[in-house]
């Protein structure tokens, strides 16, 4: 059933909002549960489509997974890799990192090539290279990836690029069994540190996450228990940019400010007043912002690509011209065509968007075509003059748990309706 968001823009935002656990932390943690034969409870989980898809994968391979009142209970005692079917893993990108856990526990995996998505091809060559460094035989044939981990051992992996998913996959592949795995040029994202903490809580031996060198010492097995993942720094930053453009004052908690420094710095340069709290951020904005000369997306701790559309939407109605450079994905400016329908003045050439700020955006009928671009359109519509209709809400639901409720809590006039 298609749904759309109806937004009446122009209101200032006021209020307090607490974000749940980070989508990009919970997804690898769910995959990690495959390595344990005991019950595991993951708290503060958002009810979002990508998590439901991972739950489907756990159930389809013979595990149990139940999300109730924000706690996800997973038990993979009866998981069986023979049940991993092609259509199952082609459904979401995140499925690629079930490879590592399945190989760690069962030494065999056979999954379909995860498709690309709206923002890019999403190759997995670094994942495959890393698994091969651990002695795993990988055959790619007919859209399938067949991995034979009978000779799985420790190894040294030198990543060409600090890929988040590849780092997570290799960390998990090295978690069970003998040998030591060293990952160099590893991704440093906070979600990688969260995965290390989770693996160690369950009985694993990983250290170095957050630096460029991660060492994983294989152990015999993992136990169970309960864990509360990291708060969602991207969701929190999304709400901050919306307050920035709409104007107002808000307190966004549940994600530590030090994990958002790159975004907070740009919000300050644009003219927002930012106060760091111990588990969140207070923002005050006049709604009249100025341009930020240049924003370049980088691996953590640089400016996060997952916050590129949101800050572009905010600067589309700022005073002056901003240059946005998207270094991570090849197709992450699609949403700008929708912002232009709202009156934005943006020119995109390859990986660069030149954003010439206009006085105010105006409401329009726009279409969300990917997760973070869709969230950016919601923030833009809230700060715009007049009414907007946003279709393609399913893209936004992949990563935000009822985004309309969050913004309504901050005073926005927004509702979800079924598209007739
Ligand atoms: C994770 O994706 C996140 N997803 C993405 O968030 C995020 O944008 C990305 O990291 C970067 O921070 C999850 O954690 C589920 P990468 P991932 O491997 O692991 C290239 C969102 O909106 N690459 O660090 O796929 C790749 O093409 C999503 O929440 C290879 O070339 O990101 C891209 O250009 C979007 N070969 C770059 O690296 C590989 O084998 C970054 O990819 C793997 C990646």
């Amino acid at each position: 059933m298609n749904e759309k968001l109806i937004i009446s823009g122009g209101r200032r935002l006021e209020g307090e909002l607490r974000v749940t656990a980070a989508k990009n932390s919970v997804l690898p943690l769910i995959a990690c549960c495959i390595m344990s034969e005991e019950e595991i409870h993951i708290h503060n989980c958002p009810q979002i489509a990508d998590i439901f898809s991972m739950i489907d994968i756990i159930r389809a391979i013979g595990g149990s997974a139940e999300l109730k009142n924000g706690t996800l209970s997973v038990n993979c005692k009866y998981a069986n890799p023979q049940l991993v079917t092609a259509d199952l893993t082609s459904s979401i990108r995140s499925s690629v990192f079930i490879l590592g856990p399945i190989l760690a526990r069962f030494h065999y995996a056979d999954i379909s090539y995860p498709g690309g998505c709206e923002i890019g091809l999403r190759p997995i060559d670094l994942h495959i290279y890393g698994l091969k460094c651990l002695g795993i035989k990988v055959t790619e044939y007919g859209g399938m990836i067949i991995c034979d981990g009978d000779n799985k051992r420790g190894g040294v992996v030198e990543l060409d690029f600090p890929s988040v998913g590849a780092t997570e996959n290799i960390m998990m592949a090295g978690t069970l069994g003998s040998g030591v795995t060293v990952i160099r040029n590893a991704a440093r994202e906070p979600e990688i540190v969260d995965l290390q903490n989770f693996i160690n809580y369950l009985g694993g031996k990983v250290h170095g996450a957050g630096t460029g060198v991660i060492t994983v010492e294989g152990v015999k097995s993992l136990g169970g228990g309960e864990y509360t993942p990291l708060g969602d720094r991207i969701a929190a930053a999304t709400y901050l940019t919306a307050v920035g453009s709409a104007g107002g004052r808000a307190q966004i908690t549940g994600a530590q400010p030090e994990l958002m420094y790159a975004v907070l710095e740009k919000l300050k340069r644009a003219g927002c007043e930012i106060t760091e709290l111990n588990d969140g951020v207070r923002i005050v904005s006049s709604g009249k912002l100025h341009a930020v000369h240049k924003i370049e997306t980088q691996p953590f701790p640089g400016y996060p690509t997952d916050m590129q559309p949101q800050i572009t939407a905010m600067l589309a109605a700022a005073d002056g011209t901003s240059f946005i450079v998207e270094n991570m994905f090849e197709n992450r400016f699609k949403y700008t065509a929708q912002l232009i329908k709202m009156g934005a003045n943006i020119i995109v050439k390859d990986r660069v968007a030149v954003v010439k700020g206009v006085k105010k955006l105006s409401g329009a009928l726009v279409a969300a075509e990917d997760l973070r671009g869709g969230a950016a359109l919601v923030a833009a519509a809230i700060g715009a003059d007049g009414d907007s209709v946003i279709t393609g809400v399913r893209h936004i639901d992949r990563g935000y748990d009822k985004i309309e409720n969050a913004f309504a809590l901050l005073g926005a006039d927004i509702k979800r309706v079924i598209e007739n």
Side-chain angles (χ1 to χ4, degrees), residues 83-95:
L83 297 172
V84 180
T85 60
D87 59 339
L88 194 64
T89 54
S90 59
S91 64
I92 53 159
R93 277 281 320 148
S94 327
S95 59

Side-chain angles (χ1 to χ4, degrees), residues 93 96-97 127 162-172 187 192:
R93 277 281 320 148
V96 68
F97 47 47
H127 296 245
S163 153
V164 172
T167 301
E168 292 166 341
N169 231 341
I170 301 156
M171 272 168 87
M172 293 192 276
I192 306 272

Side-chain angles (χ1 to χ4, degrees), residues 335-344 361-367 389 391:
Y335 65 91
T336 54
Q338 305 298 316
L339 287 177
I340 288 165
K341 285 171 76 173
M342 298 175 76
L361 295 181
S362 36
L365 167 62
V366 291
V389 175
T391 59

Side-chain angles (χ1 to χ4, degrees), residues 50 53-54 56-57 60-61 83-99 110-118 121-122 124 142-145 398:
D50 273 9
S53 300
M54 276 302 272
D56 290 345
I57 289 180
I61 63 172
L83 297 172
V84 180
T85 60
D87 59 339
L88 194 64
T89 54
S90 59
S91 64
I92 53 159
R93 277 281 320 148
S94 327
S95 59
V96 68
F97 47 47
I98 66 170
L99 260 185
D110 172 356
I111 72 163
S112 67
Y113 238 89
C117 69
E118 310 81 7
L121 282 174
R122 314 297 292 275
I124 60 168
M144 298 302 287
I145 307 170
R398 281 191 43 224

